[in-house]
Amino acid sequence: DDDDDDLSTENGEVTYRFCVCNTGQGIDFHPADNQSPPKIKRKLTLIFDNIPRQKIINDVFWAFVWRMYHAPDNKNTAELFYERLLPWLIDSPVWKALKTTLTAPENDWRTPQRAGTCYHRCVLEALHYLLRRRGLAVPQTKQLAFVLRREMCKMVGEDLQVGESLLKSDVRLISIACQQLAHSAVKQMDRNAIDGKQLNQIKTEIENIKKDVAQIPREDAASDAPPAQLQLDGNYSPQHDVFPLCDELERKEGVEQFAGVPVDPPNSVPIDYMSIPAFCKTRVEAVAAIRWCDELCDRSYCQRNVVQNYQHLVFTVIQHTFVEAIPIPEPCEFESSLDDRLRKWIKQNNLLGLSEEKIMANGDLKAAAYKLMASTSTEELDKDQRSRDIWTGPITYSRQLDLLRRLQHIMMHFTCATNNLYQTLDINYRAFESRRIVTTACITALTDRIMRMTATDFPSDLCKQIRGSKDEDPYGINVDQFIRQSKNMECTNPAVAVARSRVIDYFNAQKIKGENQIFTWEKKENATNDPAFNALIRKVCNRRSYKFPQPFYSCLNSEHNNKLYHAYLPELGFYADIVMFFKLSLVTDKKGFLTSREDCRPYVDLHYYKLHWNFDRNRECMNVTISARSGNLLAFISSATKGLFKPTPADTSELVKPHGPAENE
């Protein structure tokens, strides 16, 4: 708000005005006036000026206020707020700081509500105070309240046209609303705010509402029949009368021997979510953050019976780790040949003023240049690129596999947590969708970057083939669906929007050709047979002198070892699983990832989704299926190619149904 009326300056410091509006419990702490009997009017808004900034933004104060509402307890009473919290804020008891409340011209004496359990009246009183502070007169604010009552009654009349039944409490509530509207209309008539014609229109609207209420059948929550009479006879046994022969089921002997061997409860391991840093500046910090993220997710999942809202915690810690803590990697170019690296090194280092052509043409000079380049540290050669990307540099094969395995495990935890959160109704669906999609995209980009790194001790043939070279084009995944799907998403966190742009820049900079795009399951023609993937596996087999698809055929067709990466290409299995979870995150149809009603499990576990491969002898290609307990999910991935969010599944109130759609997409 651009209005600075609630701000003041005292001794060069900015202070604030704090208002407390109350119409229910705790109203006895507000000043009262009996000058208009039989009514007792009160100052429903308490006003306190000159509140220091340090107190108005104190997190502990607002945490106590928030806890009074979100953690109901017998101790969280009005006395706690007015006698403990509010005096701390204003540095004095409440009764000593009522000068502004009693003298402010915009704070009127108001008649409080009769009921002590209606919390909507407080909203009207807060609106009245704000309008008076804006300069409106009392008759104008009362006229606005009358208009609101009339509009709400009109909405009730529209709802009655589509209603099927009503409870007795609904009928009573509608009757009170009509009485209040009639009473307010008569007052407006006395003030000449409306004429007789408008008063007749309001009367007609109220009569129409009563007719509609009379025509709708009742759905009584309780029966009108009187309760059964008590039988106080000492010989009466209600348990045996209601359930005949129930006394024969009572066991007189002990049953302790049937309990079995006692099982010790598992130990509770502490979970410190602050172990992950705010931002990682080096690869060592990033690797440590990934390991801590995996460890924290494991601890939360194993102790989900004692950790409250563990799905929310897992979702938040993974989002922070990969969206904010670990930077999005820079695009990786294909490996340069040795001569290309030598030419680049000659240009950077002026060797005796000799040109590049002379050194490359002379065999002795070229051999000497190779020795000099080899003696130069790799960090100096790629110093500029390393300053921008922490993932540029040497890596061992064991570290590469460890990172891929942990990223796959983290992605399993994230998918498990998000799919369980979909079964709750108290989440912002569109904002939740954006965070879910961008987080999986960040993990996929980091996985793709690690897959394009060449190990120094035992380089993987698959990683070399995916990264590409000067003579061969690289392989990669298609993110067009992610770009379209996230274009209209709701970003409530700036870091999510920045991460989305960085991920798109990373994948677009690779310029993967269409025939080299693997795992394109969103295309219906590639839903089971991926030609680019089969071509990639054939090239890897040629690098190892294998006959396609040997030696993968034995593990592909085994019932218990239906994984491609058991012994020969472990990095491919991790990569494929992560891409599978990424593709599933783009599906907006809940049927694709929620448990079915027939499923007896209350949550989606870590092994709910499985990626299966099989070899087709006739076509000599490998097919893929993504299975879950609800069936094959490739159909859902291929059906989500439109790229736009479907309408939100939030259930809208019956009050707004006749007025238009639930949300303007």
Side-chain angles (χ1 to χ4, degrees), residues 134-335:
R134 289 291 185 179
L136 272 69
V138 175
Q140 293 176 321
T141 59
K142 290 186 176 182
Q143 189 174 5
L144 177 60
F146 160 72
V147 173
L148 289 176
R149 287 192 179 94
R150 185 179 181 184
E151 184 62 25
M152 291 180 184
C153 287
K154 286 184 178 180
M155 297 171 67
V156 171
E158 294 179 356
D159 291 338
L160 293 175
Q161 302 298 326
V162 296
E164 297 179 356
S165 61
L166 291 174
L167 296 174
K168 282 188 176 182
S169 58
D170 298 333
V171 177
R172 177 58 179 164
L173 186 62
I174 295 173
S175 176
I176 294 176
C178 293
Q179 293 176 8
Q180 291 291 329
L181 176 60
H183 182 68
S184 179
V186 172
K187 284 188 174 182
Q188 293 297 321
M189 181 71 178
D190 295 339
R191 299 189 183 98
N192 297 325
I194 60 175
D195 53 15
K197 184 178 179 180
Q198 293 175 330
L199 186 63
N200 289 331
Q201 291 179 354
I202 296 173
K203 180 182 178 182
T204 304
E205 294 174 1
I206 294 176
E207 292 176 350
N208 292 336
I209 291 176
K210 292 182 178 180
K211 291 180 181 179
D212 295 336
V213 171
Q215 294 176 359
I216 297 179
R218 302 293 188 270
E219 183 182 350
D220 297 336
S223 174
D224 295 334
Q229 296 183 357
L230 297 177
Q231 298 184 16
L232 303 179
D233 187 3
N235 298 325
Y236 176 67
S237 178
Q239 180 183 12
H240 297 163
D241 287 352
V242 177
F243 302 101
L245 304 179
C246 183
D247 54 339
E248 297 184 2
L249 300 178
E250 184 179 1
R251 300 182 68 101
K252 302 295 184 180
E253 67 277 6
V255 293
E256 294 297 333
Q257 65 273 15
F258 302 112
V261 180
V263 179
D264 296 332
N267 296 328
S268 297
V269 181
I271 304 175
D272 184 13
Y273 293 101
M274 303 301 294
S275 304
I276 299 177
F279 185 77
C280 302
K281 297 181 180 180
T282 62
R283 187 194 296 184
V284 176
E285 296 178 355
V287 172
I290 294 175
R291 290 178 174 176
W292 269 114
C293 181
D294 187 19
E295 180 67 21
L296 294 175
C297 292
D298 277 340
R299 294 183 183 182
S300 301
Y301 181 80
C302 295
Q303 303 179 76
R304 59 186 180 274
N305 295 329
V306 295
V307 177
Q308 295 183 356
N309 301 323
Y310 88 95
Q311 296 98 336
H312 297 79
L313 297 174
V314 169
F315 179 88
T316 304
V317 71
I318 295 178
Q319 177 195 344
H320 167 74
T321 303
F322 294 95
V323 175
E324 301 182 20
I326 300 178
I328 307 298
E330 296 289 339
C332 178
E333 300 178 356
F334 59 83
E335 289 185 333

Side-chain angles (χ1 to χ4, degrees), residues 77 84 165 201 231 299 333 336 404 462 519 538 542 551 587 616-617:
T77 60
R84 298 291 183 87
S165 61
Q201 291 179 354
Q231 298 184 16
R299 294 183 183 182
E333 300 178 356
S336 303
L404 292 174
L462 176 65
F519 307 135
R538 289 179 183 273
N542 292 334
V587 178
D616 190 348
R617 287 179 173 272

Side-chain angles (χ1 to χ4, degrees), residues 410-426:
I410 291 173
M411 188 70 101
M412 292 171 61
H413 277 292
F414 189 76
T415 305
C416 173
T418 53
N419 292 358
N420 285 310
L421 288 177
Y422 268 113
Q423 302 185 40
T424 63
L425 300 177
D426 56 345

Side-chain angles (χ1 to χ4, degrees), residues 473-478 510-518 532:
D473 294 329
Y475 284 82
I477 63 175
N478 189 314
Q510 296 177 3
K511 299 179 181 180
I512 305 298
K513 295 182 179 180
E515 60 271 14
N516 289 356
Q517 293 177 356
I518 58 178

Side-chain angles (χ1 to χ4, degrees), residues 548-569:
F548 180 79
Q550 295 291 347
F552 311 114
Y553 184 76
S554 59
C555 63
L556 285 175
N557 292 273
S558 175
E559 180 180 357
H560 302 286
N561 299 324
N562 195 7
K563 289 291 185 180
L564 181 63
Y565 50 87
H566 269 282
Y568 301 99
L569 293 178

